[in-house]
Structure formats: structure tokens, C-alpha cells
């Protein structure tokens, strides 16, 4: 019954993560009832992003500038690079403000199952960044999955020849994690990596 | 850390109902990673709606045409008008496909507390539609709240002089409603309006 334009907008919104058909309809209603305060600002915001959207030619981040805001931020430590699987991981780590260096987005993880080989990831670009010099540390921040760890080991081996420190995120109990709710893999890893009490 | 454009988009999305800051960030990431399949379609859909957005001069519906799709649909029964408080109510009833007639959006409900008086609603426009003739029934579909029912009674009185049937939505147990979870008001209404078992 709704107009084709409104239907199309509802469908486009319902494909966003976290918005089903029902909440998309509520969002559309919200937008059409608030043209000046909701619809027009969202439209302008989307236009601005769409106009400038770029993949950073250095790190693979998605941003509205190339190089991205992180790569061009001179206050950041250019001597350490945190390697992540996806842009989502970069954004999550960046949001935490815990890592003061720069990033490198692989664009995925090695996977025999999905047929993802080293040349499908940006590993060569990472090696070129290291070769160019000025890098002290590579932090491997792959997911704690089998494929993530395979990727991590593969990259660590490829970097071995370079005079950089290679580290990876610690695995173990998540903060607030209760032992009896954790999977065996996490428990095993936490036990293996146990440290003397300070 | 994100660019101003991406921040602005995240904020605009986070103001939609059902999307908090966290899901707005995920939605933005989804959009910027899928320019052709997500961002551009959403942008075009918003543009199309923004370009044509109109409030129906007959019923107050929000649509991309004036008169709206419902008022200009000749297959609908033009002899009955369902009066609702808000556009959201019209959309909900229209989606149910249970009402074959047309609508009238009041734009709110009478409220001493919020200072909403009869002249703040589209009651005069409703009376003009009735005066113009060709209407058999007015269905009052206000919310089952004190203010909704006050509005309902007020409109019913204003319409009394016209030769139209005035009805209102039945109140009672919601389908699937369990007695011991219902509030007293609903229970009282359901008891008052009890009917002989068929
Ligand atoms: Zn970058
Ligand atoms: Zn209309």
C-alpha cells in the first residue's frame, strides 16, 4: 500500500545489520514525519560520505580521505603497526584508543575452506610497508579462531626475516569471564599461557 | 578518530528508533564497506523519498504523492473513514489490510496536560469531509488511553449532527492475552463489554 519510493527506502534500511523489516518501517515513519530534523540530515550525511568514500592506499581502512585519518595523523606512533583481518576490527581497536600506532587491514583470513590464499590478502603490501623501514613492532591482532591463528602464524613467518618485533594479542580469560561459561579452547589457552602471580 | 563525515552519518543513524550508537556504527561500517550494494541504494532511496515527500491534503497521511496513495485508490471504499491519532496508526491499520476505507489523521489527541485543544487537531477538516457528503461511517480508532478516549468522545459529539454512523474500535482482551497479565483497565473494559456466547 505504501508508495514504491517508501517501500524501496524501507527495504534499503531493513538490510542494515540490526534493523529488521519492522524496525525499518518505524525508521522510515520517523524519517518522513521529521523531514527537517531527521530525513534531510541523514540524506546530507550519506551524500557527504558517498562523495568522499575511499579505501586507504596505505592501510586498507575505509574513510573519507586517502590516506585515512589514522595514517595521516602525525600524533600517532608510526613505528608500530597493528595487523587486523577486517576494517571492523580496525574500527573496534581504534575506538578503544588502546593502540597508539597505525593499522594494516588484511581483508580477511587464510582459509582452505573458503579458498582464501595469501595472495588474496594484503600481506605483500604489509611486507612492503615493513621493507620501507621505520617500523619497530608488528602486532598481530587476528581473531582467536583457527583460521585467524593460521593467518597469524603465516604472517609471523613471512616477517621473520625483517628486524621488527612481532607480537600478538594475548589469549585467555575475557575480563569478567566466568570459568564455567567458557569454552574449552579458551580455558586451555588461559592455562597454557598462565603466568606467575605478580 | 573517524572522519567528521562518518561521525555525522553515525550520529544521524543513531537517532533512528531502534538504532543506538553501537548498531549505528555497525550500520555505517556495513554501508561504507558495501558502496554499490548498500550505501548507493540507500542514498538513492532517501533522495527519491525526500524529493517527493508530501502530506496528503485530504487525510494527513505522509506519502510521495498528494493526494496520498490511499486517497487516490479508487478501489477503496470512499464511504467510510477511519480516524486515527497519528500517521503511524494509519500505517499500522493499512498494513493489516483489515480496513477497506480511507483514513483521517488527527495529528495527535486532545490533552489538557500537553495543551492540545480541538483546534490543534484536524477535526474541522474531518467535519468538512463529512459535510461534503458521500460518507456513511466514521470509525474512531483512537488509542485506548484516557486522552484517546476523550478525543474519541469529543469527535463523536461533533459528528452527531451529521447523518453518518459513528463507531469505535472494540476494547477488550487482546488476542492471546492471558487474564493474569492484563492491567485492570483492560479487564474492566472486557467485562463491561461482555457479549453473549454465540
Ligand atoms: Zn590508512
Ligand atoms: Zn490521503
Amino acid at each position: 500500500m505504501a508508495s514504491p519510493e517508501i517501500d524501496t527506502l524501507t527495504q534499503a534500511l531493513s538490510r542494515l545489520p540490526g534493523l529488521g523489516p519492522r524496525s525499518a518501517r518505524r525508521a522510515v515513519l520517523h524519517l518522513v514525519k521529521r523531514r527537517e530534523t531527521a530525513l534531510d540530515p541523514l540524506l546530507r550525511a550519506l551524500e557527504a560520505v558517498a562523495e568522499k568514500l575511499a579505501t586507504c592506499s596505505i592501510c586498507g581502512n575505509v574513510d573519507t580521505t586517502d590516506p585515512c585519518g589514522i595514517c595521516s595523523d602525525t600524533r600517532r606512533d608510526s613505528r608500530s603497526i597493528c595487523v587486523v583481518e577486517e576494517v571492523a576490527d580496525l574500527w573496534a581497536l581504534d575506538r578503544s584508543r588502546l593502540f597508539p600506532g597505525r593499522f594494516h587491514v588484511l581483508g580477511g583470513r587464510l582459509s582452505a575452506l573458503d579458498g582464501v590464499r595469501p595472495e588474496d590478502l594484503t600481506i605483500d603490501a604489509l611486507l612492503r610497508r615493513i621493507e620501507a623501514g621505520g617500523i619497530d613492532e608488528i602486532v598481530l591482532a587476528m581473531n582467536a579462531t583457527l583460521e585467524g591463528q593460521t593467518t597469524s602464524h603465516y604472517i609471523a613467518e613471512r616477517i621473520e626475516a625483517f628486524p621488527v618485533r612481532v607480537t600478538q594479542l594475548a589469549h585467555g580469560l575475557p575480563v569478567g569471564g566466568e570459568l564455567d561459561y567458557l569454552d574449552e579452547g579458551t580455558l586451555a589457552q588461559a592455562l597454557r599461557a598462565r603466568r606467575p602471580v605478580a
Side-chain angles (χ1 to χ4, degrees), chain A:
Chain A
M1 286 291 110
S3 76
E5 293 88 356
I6 288 178
D7 264 348
T8 304
L9 177 57
T10 308
Q11 281 162 31
L13 279 171
S14 70
R15 285 192 214 99
L16 294 181
L19 274 178
R22 192 188 156 86
S23 42
R25 277 197 306 264
R26 283 176 56 221
V28 168
L29 188 67
H30 179 92
L31 290 169
V32 298
K33 283 196 67 183
R34 294 166 190 79
R35 189 196 175 111
E36 278 78 22
T37 58
L39 195 149
D40 287 343
L42 177 58
L43 178 54
R44 282 193 302 269
L46 267 176
E47 277 170 347
V49 168
E51 192 191 329
K52 301 188 170 180
L53 199 62
T55 298
C56 178
S57 51
I58 298 174
C59 75
N61 188 14
V62 178
D63 204 346
T64 51
T65 54
D66 177 20
C68 73
I70 293 172
C71 286
S72 53
D73 183 351
T74 53
R75 291 162 306 177
R76 295 189 81 113
D77 178 8
S78 64
R79 307 193 70 82
S80 60
I81 295 177
C82 180
V83 183
V84 293
E85 295 180 18
E86 301 284 0
V87 174
D89 306 324
L90 186 163
W91 285 24
L93 276 163
D94 182 47
R95 212 159 42 234
S96 76
R97 293 167 189 270
L98 292 169
F99 182 71
R102 294 188 175 160
F103 290 93
H104 191 86
V105 179
L106 291 175
R109 65 217 61 84
L110 296 177
S111 168
L113 204 68
D114 299 332
V116 181
R117 299 153 306 172
E119 56 267 40
D120 298 320
L121 305 178
T122 63
I123 296 173
D124 286 343
L126 174 64
L127 296 178
R128 283 194 299 274
R129 287 179 76 179
I130 299 171
E131 263 173 341
I135 311 287
D136 291 337
E137 181 179 5
I138 300 291
V139 181
L140 299 173
M142 267 80 260
N143 288 321
T145 60
L146 186 61
E147 293 180 340
Q149 295 312 298
T150 304
T151 310
S152 197
H153 291 138
Y154 177 85
I155 293 176
E157 268 179 32
R158 294 279 304 268
I159 299 178
E160 234 174 30
F162 298 93
V164 295
R165 200 156 73 97
V166 183
T167 58
Q168 66 172 350
L169 296 189
H171 295 170
L173 306 184
V175 174
E178 294 181 59
L179 285 194
D180 55 352
Y181 285 98
L182 286 175
D183 63 293
E184 248 180 70
T186 302
L187 273 181
Q189 180 58 41
L191 199 56
R192 259 199 310 272
R194 66 188 182 276
R195 295 146 37 120
V197 178

